[in-house]
Amino acid sequence: MSDLRPIGLFDSGVGGLTVSRQIFRLMPQESTVYFGDNAHVPYGPRTPEELISFADEILTFLVSCGVKYIIFACNTNSSISLPVVRERYAVPMIGLIEPGVREAVRVSTGGRIGIIATEATIKSGAYQRALKALNPDLAVFGQAAPRLVPLVEAGRAGTRESLAAVAEYVQPLKRAGVDTLILGCTHYPFLEAEFREVLGPDVKLVDPAEATTIAAREEMSRLGLLNNPGGSVQHRYFVSGDPRVFQETARLFLGEEIPSVKQVKLD
Ligand code: DGL
């Protein structure tokens, strides 16, 4: 059986494209519907009530597009909204936290794990709890980095400004001696070069997108939701704000044009 329906994914803006990238690589036979809520970016300073209400509107839209599976391509929503909204929809869903944590524990050499993420994700304690649940002996260090998402959304990754911001946020984690750092926001892999430069070669960087896509593929296979290779594949993009800004930033980071991005007004 081949399930031609698309996978839905969403984020506050371009960050979730780091998850799309992994879907294109690991499940090239799958179509996708991407929603970037760039009218509400950044999500980091939002309250849980706001985030849950945005997630509900976006999920309703994705379900109306006929998606068969949903990936929360946003750590902030994976931390806060997913546990609340999961039961409201018949479509199976996955978030980034558990797969990211399992990968971090797998690669960590000394059990000293840092998480860098939005204020909302760090404040939620979702990563810290998930890490401790896997292994209570881990030393866990969280760092919020509120300036990074606006820099990425403005297309200013790869600049002196982004390097200085990353260096400032990473400093306490370096002092704590982390051996592994979870990039706990889907925008941050676009700043990987900055993280690498500041941390040096020995600290392991974990982008939860890859582990999450692998976990999604396993679950979809179990549920009989995978598409067979060889069919036609379509990727559709929707935003709540300005489609041109999304398109421009996406082109900068992906190195290719997204031909059509449609604006959808959420209530
Ligand atoms: N990229 C999202 C995340 O992974 C949201 C970032 C934001 O808008 O603050 O948390």
Coordinates of all heavy atoms in Angstrom, one line a residue, residues 40-89:
H40 N 3.7 35.7 13.4 CA 3.8 35.6 14.9 C 5.2 35.4 15.3 O 5.4 35.2 16.5 CB 2.9 34.5 15.4 CG 1.4 34.8 15.2 ND1 0.5 33.8 14.7 CD2 0.7 35.9 15.5 CE1 -0.7 34.4 14.7 NE2 -0.6 35.6 15.1
V41 N 6.2 35.3 14.4 CA 7.6 35.1 14.8 C 8.1 36.3 15.6 O 7.7 37.4 15.2 CB 8.4 34.8 13.5 CG1 8.7 36.0 12.7 CG2 9.7 34.1 13.9
P42 N 8.9 36.2 16.6 CA 9.4 34.9 17.2 C 8.4 34.3 18.2 O 7.7 35.1 18.9 CB 10.7 35.3 17.9 CG 10.5 36.8 18.3 CD 9.6 37.4 17.2
Y43 N 8.5 33.0 18.3 CA 7.6 32.3 19.3 C 8.2 32.3 20.7 O 7.5 32.2 21.7 CB 7.5 30.8 18.9 CG 6.4 30.5 17.9 CD1 6.3 29.2 17.4 CD2 5.4 31.4 17.5 CE1 5.3 28.9 16.4 CE2 4.4 31.1 16.6 CZ 4.4 29.8 16.1 OH 3.4 29.5 15.2
G44 N 9.5 32.5 20.8 CA 10.3 32.4 22.0 C 9.7 33.2 23.2 O 9.5 32.7 24.3
P45 N 9.3 34.5 23.0 CA 8.7 35.2 24.1 C 7.2 35.0 24.4 O 6.7 35.6 25.2 CB 9.0 36.7 23.7 CG 9.6 36.7 22.3 CD 9.5 35.3 21.8
R46 N 6.6 34.2 23.6 CA 5.1 34.0 23.7 C 4.7 33.2 25.0 O 5.5 32.3 25.4 CB 4.6 33.2 22.5 CG 4.8 33.9 21.2 CD 3.8 35.0 20.9 NE 4.0 35.6 19.6 CZ 3.3 36.6 19.2 NH1 2.3 37.0 19.9 NH2 3.5 37.1 18.0
T47 N 3.5 33.4 25.4 CA 3.0 32.6 26.6 C 2.5 31.2 26.1 O 2.2 31.0 24.9 CB 1.8 33.3 27.2 OG1 0.7 33.3 26.3 CG2 2.1 34.7 27.7
P48 N 2.5 30.2 27.0 CA 1.9 28.9 26.6 C 0.5 29.0 26.0 O 0.2 28.3 25.0 CB 1.9 28.1 27.9 CG 3.0 28.7 28.7 CD 3.0 30.2 28.3
E49 N -0.3 29.9 26.5 CA -1.7 30.1 25.9 C -1.6 30.5 24.5 O -2.4 30.0 23.6 CB -2.5 31.1 26.8 CG -2.8 30.7 28.2 CD -1.6 30.6 29.1 OE1 -0.6 31.4 28.9 OE2 -1.6 29.8 30.0
E50 N -0.8 31.5 24.2 CA -0.7 32.0 22.8 C -0.2 30.8 21.9 O -0.7 30.6 20.8 CB 0.3 33.1 22.7 CG -0.2 34.4 23.2 CD 0.9 35.5 23.1 OE1 2.0 35.3 23.8 OE2 0.7 36.5 22.4
L51 N 0.9 30.1 22.4 CA 1.5 29.1 21.5 C 0.5 28.0 21.2 O 0.4 27.5 20.1 CB 2.7 28.5 22.2 CG 3.9 29.5 22.3 CD1 4.9 29.1 23.3 CD2 4.6 29.7 20.9
I52 N -0.3 27.6 22.2 CA -1.3 26.5 22.0 C -2.3 27.0 21.1 O -2.8 26.2 20.2 CB -1.9 26.1 23.4 CG1 -0.8 25.4 24.2 CG2 -3.1 25.2 23.2 CD1 -1.1 25.2 25.7
S53 N -2.7 28.2 21.1 CA -3.8 28.7 20.2 C -3.2 28.8 18.8 O -3.9 28.4 17.8 CB -4.4 30.0 20.8 OG -4.2 31.1 19.9
F54 N -2.0 29.3 18.6 CA -1.4 29.3 17.2 C -1.3 27.8 16.7 O -1.7 27.6 15.6 CB 0.0 29.8 17.2 CG 0.1 31.3 17.7 CD1 1.3 31.8 18.2 CD2 -0.9 32.2 17.5 CE1 1.4 33.1 18.6 CE2 -0.8 33.5 18.0 CZ 0.4 34.0 18.5
A55 N -0.9 26.9 17.6 CA -0.7 25.5 17.1 C -2.0 25.0 16.7 O -2.1 24.3 15.6 CB -0.1 24.7 18.2
D56 N -3.1 25.2 17.4 CA -4.4 24.7 17.1 C -4.9 25.2 15.7 O -5.4 24.4 14.9 CB -5.4 25.1 18.2 CG -5.8 24.0 19.1 OD1 -5.7 22.8 18.6 OD2 -6.1 24.3 20.3
E57 N -4.7 26.5 15.5 CA -5.1 27.0 14.2 C -4.3 26.4 13.0 O -4.8 26.1 12.0 CB -4.9 28.5 14.2 CG -5.9 29.3 15.0 CD -5.7 30.8 15.0 OE1 -5.4 31.3 13.9 OE2 -5.8 31.4 16.0
I58 N -3.0 26.3 13.2 CA -2.1 25.7 12.2 C -2.5 24.2 12.0 O -2.5 23.8 10.8 CB -0.6 25.9 12.5 CG1 -0.3 27.4 12.6 CG2 0.3 25.2 11.5 CD1 1.0 27.7 13.3
L59 N -2.7 23.5 13.0 CA -3.0 22.1 12.9 C -4.3 21.9 12.2 O -4.4 21.0 11.3 CB -3.0 21.4 14.3 CG -1.7 21.3 15.0 CD1 -1.8 20.9 16.4 CD2 -0.7 20.3 14.2
T60 N -5.3 22.8 12.5 CA -6.6 22.7 11.8 C -6.4 22.9 10.3 O -6.9 22.2 9.4 CB -7.5 23.7 12.4 OG1 -7.7 23.5 13.8 CG2 -8.9 23.7 11.7
F61 N -5.5 23.9 10.0 CA -5.2 24.2 8.5 C -4.5 22.9 7.9 O -4.9 22.5 6.8 CB -4.3 25.4 8.4 CG -3.8 25.6 7.0 CD1 -4.7 26.1 6.0 CD2 -2.5 25.3 6.6 CE1 -4.3 26.3 4.7 CE2 -2.1 25.5 5.3 CZ -3.0 26.0 4.4
L62 N -3.5 22.4 8.6 CA -2.8 21.3 8.0 C -3.7 20.1 7.8 O -3.6 19.4 6.7 CB -1.6 20.9 8.9 CG -0.4 21.9 8.9 CD1 0.6 21.4 9.9 CD2 0.3 22.0 7.5
V63 N -4.6 19.8 8.7 CA -5.5 18.7 8.6 C -6.4 19.0 7.4 O -6.7 18.0 6.6 CB -6.3 18.5 9.9 CG1 -7.5 17.6 9.7 CG2 -5.4 18.0 11.0
S64 N -6.8 20.2 7.2 CA -7.7 20.5 6.1 C -6.9 20.3 4.7 O -7.6 20.2 3.7 CB -8.2 22.0 6.1 OG -7.2 22.9 5.7
C65 N -5.6 20.3 4.8 CA -4.8 20.0 3.6 C -4.7 18.5 3.3 O -4.0 18.1 2.4 CB -3.4 20.6 3.7 SG -3.4 22.4 3.7
G66 N -5.3 17.7 4.2 CA -5.2 16.2 4.0 C -3.9 15.6 4.4 O -3.6 14.5 3.8
V67 N -3.2 16.1 5.4 CA -1.9 15.5 5.8 C -2.2 14.2 6.5 O -3.2 14.0 7.2 CB -1.1 16.5 6.7 CG1 -0.7 17.7 5.9 CG2 -1.7 16.8 8.0
K68 N -1.2 13.3 6.4 CA -1.4 12.0 7.0 C -0.6 11.8 8.3 O -0.8 10.9 9.1 CB -0.9 10.9 6.1 CG 0.6 11.0 5.6 CD 1.0 10.0 4.6 CE 2.4 10.3 4.1 NZ 2.8 9.3 3.0
Y69 N 0.3 12.8 8.6 CA 1.2 12.7 9.7 C 1.7 14.2 9.9 O 1.9 14.9 8.9 CB 2.4 11.8 9.4 CG 3.3 11.4 10.5 CD1 2.9 10.4 11.4 CD2 4.4 12.1 10.8 CE1 3.7 10.0 12.5 CE2 5.2 11.8 11.9 CZ 4.9 10.7 12.7 OH 5.6 10.4 13.8
I70 N 2.0 14.6 11.2 CA 2.4 15.9 11.4 C 3.7 15.9 12.2 O 3.8 15.2 13.2 CB 1.4 16.8 12.1 CG1 0.2 17.0 11.2 CG2 1.9 18.1 12.6 CD1 -1.0 17.6 11.8
I71 N 4.7 16.7 11.7 CA 6.0 16.8 12.5 C 6.0 18.3 13.0 O 5.9 19.2 12.3 CB 7.2 16.6 11.6 CG1 7.2 15.2 11.0 CG2 8.5 16.8 12.4 CD1 8.4 14.8 10.1
F72 N 6.1 18.4 14.3 CA 6.3 19.7 14.9 C 7.7 20.1 14.7 O 8.6 19.7 15.3 CB 6.0 19.7 16.5 CG 4.6 19.7 16.8 CD1 3.6 18.9 16.2 CD2 4.1 20.6 17.8 CE1 2.3 19.0 16.6 CE2 2.8 20.7 18.2 CZ 1.9 19.9 17.6
A73 N 7.9 21.0 13.6 CA 9.2 21.4 13.2 C 9.7 22.6 14.0 O 10.3 23.5 13.5 CB 9.3 21.7 11.7
C74 N 9.3 22.6 15.3 CA 9.5 23.8 16.2 C 9.6 23.2 17.6 O 8.8 22.5 18.1 CB 8.3 24.7 16.1 SG 8.2 26.0 17.3
N75 N 10.8 23.5 18.2 CA 11.0 23.0 19.5 C 10.1 23.7 20.6 O 9.7 23.0 21.5 CB 12.5 23.3 20.0 CG 13.4 22.4 19.2 OD1 13.8 21.4 19.6 ND2 13.8 22.9 18.0
T76 N 9.8 24.9 20.4 CA 9.0 25.7 21.3 C 7.6 25.0 21.4 O 7.0 24.8 22.5 CB 8.9 27.2 20.9 OG1 10.2 27.6 20.7 CG2 8.2 28.0 22.0
N77 N 7.0 24.7 20.2 CA 5.7 24.0 20.2 C 5.8 22.6 20.6 O 4.9 22.0 21.2 CB 5.1 24.2 18.8 CG 4.2 25.4 18.8 OD1 3.3 25.6 19.5 ND2 4.6 26.3 17.9
S78 N 6.9 21.9 20.3 CA 7.1 20.5 20.7 C 7.1 20.5 22.2 O 6.6 19.5 22.8 CB 8.4 20.0 20.2 OG 8.5 20.0 18.8
S79 N 7.7 21.5 22.9 CA 7.8 21.5 24.3 C 6.5 21.8 25.0 O 6.1 21.2 26.0 CB 8.8 22.6 24.8 OG 10.0 22.5 24.2
I80 N 5.8 22.8 24.4 CA 4.6 23.4 25.1 C 3.3 22.9 24.6 O 2.4 22.5 25.3 CB 4.7 24.9 25.1 CG1 5.9 25.3 26.0 CG2 3.4 25.6 25.6 CD1 6.5 26.7 25.7
S81 N 3.1 23.0 23.2 CA 1.8 22.7 22.7 C 1.5 21.2 22.4 O 0.4 20.7 22.7 CB 1.6 23.4 21.3 OG 2.0 24.7 21.4
L82 N 2.5 20.5 22.0 CA 2.3 19.1 21.6 C 1.6 18.3 22.7 O 0.6 17.6 22.4 CB 3.5 18.5 21.0 CG 3.5 17.0 20.6 CD1 2.4 16.8 19.5 CD2 4.8 16.5 20.1
P83 N 2.1 18.3 23.9 CA 1.5 17.5 24.9 C 0.0 17.8 25.2 O -0.8 17.0 25.6 CB 2.3 17.8 26.2 CG 3.6 18.4 25.7 CD 3.3 19.1 24.4
V84 N -0.3 19.1 24.9 CA -1.7 19.5 25.1 C -2.6 19.2 24.0 O -3.8 18.8 24.1 CB -1.7 21.1 25.4 CG1 -3.2 21.6 25.6 CG2 -0.8 21.4 26.6
V85 N -2.2 19.4 22.7 CA -3.1 19.3 21.6 C -3.1 17.9 20.9 O -4.0 17.7 20.1 CB -2.7 20.4 20.5 CG1 -2.8 21.8 21.0 CG2 -1.3 20.1 19.9
R86 N -2.2 17.1 21.2 CA -2.1 15.8 20.5 C -3.4 15.0 20.5 O -3.8 14.5 19.5 CB -1.0 14.9 21.2 CG -0.6 13.7 20.5 CD 0.1 12.7 21.4 NE 1.5 13.1 21.7 CZ 2.5 12.8 20.8 NH1 2.3 12.3 19.7 NH2 3.7 13.1 21.2
E87 N -4.1 15.0 21.6 CA -5.3 14.3 21.7 C -6.5 14.9 20.9 O -7.5 14.2 20.8 CB -5.7 14.1 23.2 CG -4.7 13.4 24.1 CD -4.3 12.0 23.5 OE1 -5.2 11.4 22.9 OE2 -3.1 11.7 23.6
R88 N -6.3 16.1 20.5 CA -7.4 16.8 19.8 C -7.6 16.4 18.4 O -8.5 16.8 17.7 CB -7.3 18.3 19.9 CG -7.2 18.8 21.3 CD -7.1 20.4 21.3 NE -6.9 20.8 22.7 CZ -6.5 22.0 23.1 NH1 -6.2 22.9 22.2 NH2 -6.4 22.3 24.4
Y89 N -6.6 15.7 17.8 CA -6.6 15.4 16.4 C -6.4 13.9 16.1 O -5.7 13.3 16.9 CB -5.4 16.2 15.7 CG -5.6 17.7 15.9 CD1 -5.1 18.4 17.0 CD2 -6.3 18.5 14.9 CE1 -5.3 19.7 17.2 CE2 -6.5 19.8 15.1 CZ -6.0 20.5 16.3 OH -6.2 21.8 16.4

